[in-house]
Amino acid sequence: MSLTIQQIITDAKKLAGRLKERDSVANFLLAETHAINKKIDAMKQFQEEVDQLNEVAKQKPHSQLISNIQKENRHLREIQQENRELKSALEDYQYTLEHIMTKYREHTNKQIYKTRIDFKALQDKRYQIIIQQQAEKIQEMAAIMEKAALLDENRDLKFEEILGQLQTENKGLREVLHTFHKVNINTEDKNIQTDS
């Protein structure tokens, strides 16, 4: 399943929208947490003021003060529980956001990797073309050398043939010359004999 750039952009826009929603939820949770912290601080301050008033005015019955303190303690526990739940929700939000961003980065990296130019394959093709060209040149040179060897062999055969003809002719001429020389010597001998 191939993804187009348009699909990636659409997915990125959806993720950005989700991130904005989660961001607004996180901002709301942070605002709530701050408000609760302020309430806790106000309650602590109230408790301190109550303690000071109790010290100043020891006329109030202790049972009423204890019941008020218990109510405040229950209220503080509820606020603390709510605070823990808000922190847990914030951690879940951060974990989800990190998970989404990790998936987005992986997806984007895969798409970038798919669109990369494979320089090694191009280089291999270039080497194959060069090797093929060299092989063609070598074949041409081998054909030329074969022709040259045939021509050289034909020339050697012609040379040997001509040499054989010349040797035969030379031999024939020597015989003729030798015969002529004998005839000349015999004629000279006869002429000498006749002269004397």
Side-chain angles (χ1 to χ4, degrees), residues 132-153:
Q132 186 176 0
Q133 288 173 348
Q134 293 295 327
E136 289 172 1
K137 285 182 183 178
I138 289 170
Q139 287 176 349
E140 285 178 27
M141 290 173 65
I144 290 169
M145 289 172 70
E146 192 176 327
K147 282 183 184 178
L150 281 172
L151 289 173
D152 202 30
E153 192 177 310

Side-chain angles (χ1 to χ4, degrees), residues 43-140:
M43 287 181 187
K44 285 180 183 176
Q45 189 176 5
F46 173 75
Q47 184 66 39
E48 290 171 1
E49 289 173 0
V50 167
D51 289 341
Q52 287 175 357
L53 287 174
N54 282 335
E55 286 177 12
V56 172
K58 293 190 175 184
Q59 298 138 358
K60 288 188 179 178
H62 288 293
S63 60
Q64 186 182 0
L65 288 175
I66 290 173
S67 68
N68 285 341
I69 290 172
Q70 286 175 346
K71 285 179 186 176
E72 288 298 322
N73 280 341
R74 270 187 251 129
H75 189 64
L76 278 173
R77 282 190 205 115
E78 289 173 3
I79 290 174
Q80 287 173 344
Q81 179 62 31
E82 190 177 345
N83 197 8
R84 283 193 288 269
E85 289 172 0
L86 287 173
K87 282 184 181 178
S88 175
L90 184 62
E91 287 172 1
D92 287 345
Y93 166 76
Q94 287 175 338
Y95 172 78
T96 305
L97 186 61
E98 287 173 6
H99 184 69
I100 289 170
M101 288 309 295
T102 302
K103 290 293 182 183
Y104 174 74
R105 285 186 201 104
E106 288 173 1
H107 180 72
T108 306
N109 285 339
K110 282 181 186 176
Q111 292 305 315
I112 289 170
Y113 186 77
K114 284 180 185 177
T115 57
R116 282 188 184 163
I117 296 172
D118 191 359
F119 288 106
K120 188 176 182 202
L122 289 176
Q123 194 173 20
D124 289 345
K125 283 182 184 178
R126 198 175 110 226
Y127 286 141
Q128 286 175 353
I129 291 169
I130 290 171
I131 290 169
Q132 186 176 0
Q133 288 173 348
Q134 293 295 327
E136 289 172 1
K137 285 182 183 178
I138 289 170
Q139 287 176 349
E140 285 178 27

Side-chain angles (χ1 to χ4, degrees), residues 181-195:
H181 189 60
K182 273 188 181 179
V183 170
N184 256 348
I185 290 176
N186 285 339
T187 350
E188 281 183 14
D189 283 344
K190 284 182 186 178
N191 283 340
I192 291 175
Q193 287 175 1
T194 41
D195 285 342

Side-chain angles (χ1 to χ4, degrees), residues 14-28:
K14 286 179 184 177
L15 285 173
R18 289 180 190 162
L19 288 175
K20 284 180 184 177
E21 290 174 7
R22 300 279 170 115
D23 199 24
S24 63
V25 169
N27 287 337
F28 173 76

